[in-house]
Amino acid sequence: MISRDHKSRIAVIGAGISGLSAAYFIRKKARLSGKRVQVDVIEKEAHVGGKFTSRREGGFLVEGGPNGFLDSKPWTMDLVRDLGMGDALLPSDEAAARRFIYSRGKLHELKASPVSFFKSNLLSLPGRLRIVGELFAPATPPGKDTTLAEFARRRLGEEVLERMLDPMVSGIFAGDPERMSLRACFPRIAELEETHGGLIRALMRIAAERKKAKKSGQEVVASSGPSGPGGVLTSFKEGVSTLTDRLASEFSGHVHTGNGVSSVVRDSNGWIVRTSSQEFAVDAVVLAVPADSAAGILAEAARQSARAINQIPYSPMAVVGLGYDIGDLGEPPHGFGYLIPSVERRKILGALWTSSIFPNYRSPDDRVLIRVMIGGARDHTTPFLDDAELVETARTELSTTMGLHAQPVFTTIFRWEKAIPLYTVGHLERLKSAEDALPRGLVLAGNAFRGVGINDCVRESEAAAEKALGMLR
Ligand SMILES: Cc1cc2nc3c(=O)[nH]c(=O)nc-3n(C[C@H](O)[C@H](O)[C@H](O)COP(=O)(O)OP(=O)(O)OC[C@H]3O[C@@H](n4cnc5c(N)ncnc54)[C@H](O)[C@@H]3O)c2cc1C
């Protein structure tokens, strides 16, 4: 048992980006406020990083999880700069601004400007005209947690839902818009509707404000549009694991890998965190693990919270990395990649053209790397096919959807049984009841609650660090 001395102690459970950044913020904020706090990070796996898995193999660098983060939000960038890691960053190539949707047998480029978007034939003419009807669409009843599908159907029409929102939700959550909550997944859109009475009105007002700000010399941050999120996708030259490895190195001797936490129990001085081989006596605990793990750990100490958290479902995913000889491809793919609407009934969610997003850093010069995403909320079978079947599925689907018939010279596979949490209708209420019922000294962090992007995880970890420090006596 690791026991108490005159320092305060905080345990962080889970060494993904959420847990490691929470540990970092706890230590930083404690130092700034003159508190003596020891932080221990406890991780089930033998390695740190969670979904951050940068694999070097056969001359390729393949990400099993995230590709990078957007620089238009401050949280990850600030953390990277604070760590002095600016030189390790790798912004994506300009080509990455070109995003596509596979629809009705071909790839359609998503156009950023409203005029070009209206000219593109991703949507039929009635589908495009229906968007204008958004100006007259009935509002979401106040306080109602509506699904993404219901919202899109009512405001923008069935075709926008099928051909644009559905693949976008696949790209972010590998999710199903018929089940997912607007307020939990896209709070900003819910807020825009509420404040401005509609999306077109909101966009027009924001565009006018940006124009005014630009005129008066203020810096204007890139905004999202129909072609994708604003900002530059940014990674690290050596892959995203650079960040989690670096954070872990800040806590050497206090990162306990291969140590799955089974429970936290209260004792007279604080909390005991139990693993199969160790016990940690601490004053506060930050849980930065997936929802089902958090529910298991809290089963004794916070039954009501555990029950609420346990209702958060996950989508499974497989990521198949395929490497090709450049000479075997007529034209190497140029752009970010593409997503596929579920109405197309393909066996993949989409593909990312990694060598085009990060040229020179992910594949040898004479080779090309593509990552194929498989699974999601509606497909719990394909990600678990055996390796050969999975590669064959990816290959066949690339042939149909992007006309890539060449044989890969390299393949690698990652499988995530619980890849991404799904914020279904009622998510925010469940989260509130879980947090309200948590005993003092326990704090929730991680991607299961308020955003799945890396930026969201880092932002929430900073808030969790603040909360945990505030609980110290
Ligand atoms: C395929 C894929 C692609 C993605 N692409 C992007 C992207 O491009 N950009 C982006 O912003 N986001 C992306 N995301 C989302 C983002 O990667 C995740 O939301 C984020 O990495 C989650 O971090 P986390 O620390 O909250 O959770 P995790 O990374 O899941 O970490 C949780 C940690 O807790 C550990 N753990 C579990 N149970 C226990 C226990 N009982 N005791 C101790 N430890 C335990 C786990 O082993 C794990 O290390 C992607 C996700 C996936 C799966």
Side-chain angles (χ1 to χ4, degrees):
M1 164 118 126
I2 297 177
S3 61
R4 294 193 180 88
D5 50 25
H6 54 284
K7 274 188 207 164
S8 298
R9 284 169 190 258
I10 298 179
V12 175
I13 312 179
I17 184 63
S18 298
L20 289 167
S21 54
Y24 182 79
F25 289 124
I26 291 168
R27 202 183 60 181
K28 181 179 167 185
K29 286 172 190 291
R31 281 182 183 160
L32 285 174
S33 60
K35 286 182 182 157
R36 294 195 63 209
V37 180
Q38 180 178 306
V39 189
D40 285 279
V41 182
I42 312 168
E43 166 59 47
K44 179 176 75 170
E45 300 295 337
H47 53 86
V48 300
K51 301 295 180 303
F52 281 47
T53 44
S54 312
R55 185 183 288 170
R56 271 205 181 280
E57 205 179 322
F60 293 88
L61 199 166
V62 193
E63 302 286 6
N67 219 4
F69 61 92
L70 290 171
D71 73 349
S72 48
K73 305 268 168 66
W75 303 289
T76 314
M77 216 35 145
D78 287 351
L79 173 65
V80 169
R81 294 212 181 98
D82 209 36
L83 286 160
M85 295 177 71
D87 288 349
L89 285 172
L90 177 64
S92 54
D93 192 78
E94 276 176 18
R98 299 185 68 213
R99 291 162 186 256
F100 297 80
I101 287 190
Y102 173 83
S103 177
R104 302 180 177 105
K106 64 181 212 180
L107 294 179
H108 300 257
E109 184 169 352
L110 285 167
K111 300 289 186 181
S113 88
V115 176
S116 321
F117 173 74
F118 267 90
K119 281 191 191 156
S120 90
N121 54 5
L122 169 63
L123 303 183
S124 67
L125 186 61
R128 278 175 267 166
L129 292 175
R130 170 63 183 81
I131 294 177
V132 182
E134 201 273 334
L135 283 165
F136 314 103
T140 306
K144 184 171 183 229
D145 191 7
T146 181
T147 64
L148 293 174
E150 193 281 321
F151 175 84
R153 219 172 255 134
R154 170 164 43 83
R155 296 217 69 96
L156 296 156
E158 190 71 35
E159 221 182 325
V160 168
L161 165 62
E162 265 184 12
R163 303 277 153 184
M164 293 186 70
L165 185 87
D166 174 282
M168 184 174 129
V169 171
S170 279
I172 302 172
F173 296 96
D176 175 1
E178 299 288 352
R179 295 166 60 202
M180 298 180 68
S181 151
L182 174 73
R183 282 199 286 147
C185 297
F186 299 119
R188 174 82 176 132
I189 292 183
E191 185 197 314
L192 288 179
E193 189 201 25
E194 212 172 294
T195 318
H196 301 276
L199 301 181
I200 296 180
R201 280 194 187 92
L203 293 178
M204 287 186 336
R205 206 154 301 163
I206 291 168
E209 279 163 16
R210 289 163 65 84
K211 213 168 163 187
K212 213 165 126 193
K214 232 178 179 174
K215 252 189 182 163
S216 62
Q218 288 172 35
E219 202 182 320
V220 176
V221 176
S223 67
S224 303
S227 64
V232 175
L233 177 76
T234 304
S235 184
F236 295 84
K237 291 170 190 158
E238 300 298 325
V240 290
S241 296
T242 310
L243 178 57
T244 41
D245 288 348
R246 173 59 198 278
L247 283 165
S249 73
E250 295 274 317
F251 294 90
S252 64
H254 292 282
V255 178
H256 310 270
T257 49
N259 239 332
V261 173
S262 50
S263 62
V264 292
V265 287
R266 210 197 271 279
D267 84 344
S268 52
N269 294 313
W271 293 95
I272 305 290
V273 178
R274 286 196 183 129
T275 77
S276 57
S277 58
Q278 254 176 308
E279 288 195 348
F280 298 79
V282 295
D283 302 286
V285 182
V286 175
L287 290 105
V289 293
D292 58 323
S293 294
I297 293 167
L298 293 173
E300 268 178 63
R303 193 170 304 166
Q304 200 180 320
S305 306
R307 212 175 297 139
I309 295 168
N310 211 17
Q311 289 173 43
I312 300 171
Y314 278 72
S315 54
M317 264 175 96
V319 177
V320 181
L322 299 166
Y324 295 88
D325 266 335
I326 218 163
D328 291 343
L329 310 178
E331 183 86 16
H334 182 68
F336 186 83
Y338 58 99
L339 290 162
I340 306 180
S342 56
V343 283
E344 293 290 337
R345 309 235 171 271
R346 304 302 330 163
K347 288 195 173 133
I348 63 173
L349 297 170
L352 300 185
W353 299 332
T354 306
S355 307
S356 174
I357 304 172
F358 298 116
N360 308 320
Y361 285 92
R362 297 296 182 256
S363 55
D365 289 350
D366 54 349
R367 297 198 155 166
V368 164
L369 177 66
I370 294 177
R371 291 199 311 152
V372 180
M373 306 295 169
I374 296 178
R378 301 182 184 94
D379 181 2
H380 286 246
T381 311
T382 320
F384 304 105
L385 293 176
D386 71 32
D387 287 6
E389 287 172 317
L390 203 54
V391 168
E392 190 46 31
T393 302
R395 220 187 54 74
T396 314
E397 291 292 322
L398 290 186
S399 165
T400 308
T401 53
M402 61 177 277
L404 198 172
H405 310 298
Q407 281 293 340
V409 293
F410 162 84
T411 61
T412 192
I413 294 174
F414 303 81
R415 284 191 186 78
W416 301 109
E417 202 179 312
K418 295 196 173 353
I420 303 193
L422 298 170
Y423 302 168
T424 54
V425 164
H427 178 84
L428 293 178
E429 286 70 26
R430 284 191 285 280
L431 175 56
K432 183 171 184 320
S433 73
E435 288 189 323
D436 285 352
L438 265 188
R440 189 182 162 82
L442 303 181
V443 181
L444 297 175
N447 70 350
F449 307 114
R450 290 191 179 88
V452 301
I454 297 171
N455 274 312
D456 304 311
C457 294
V458 174
R459 182 197 61 219
E460 288 306 305
S461 293
E462 182 160 11
E466 199 84 63
K467 254 192 209 169
L469 286 168
M471 287 170 174
L472 299 179
R473 282 187 210 114

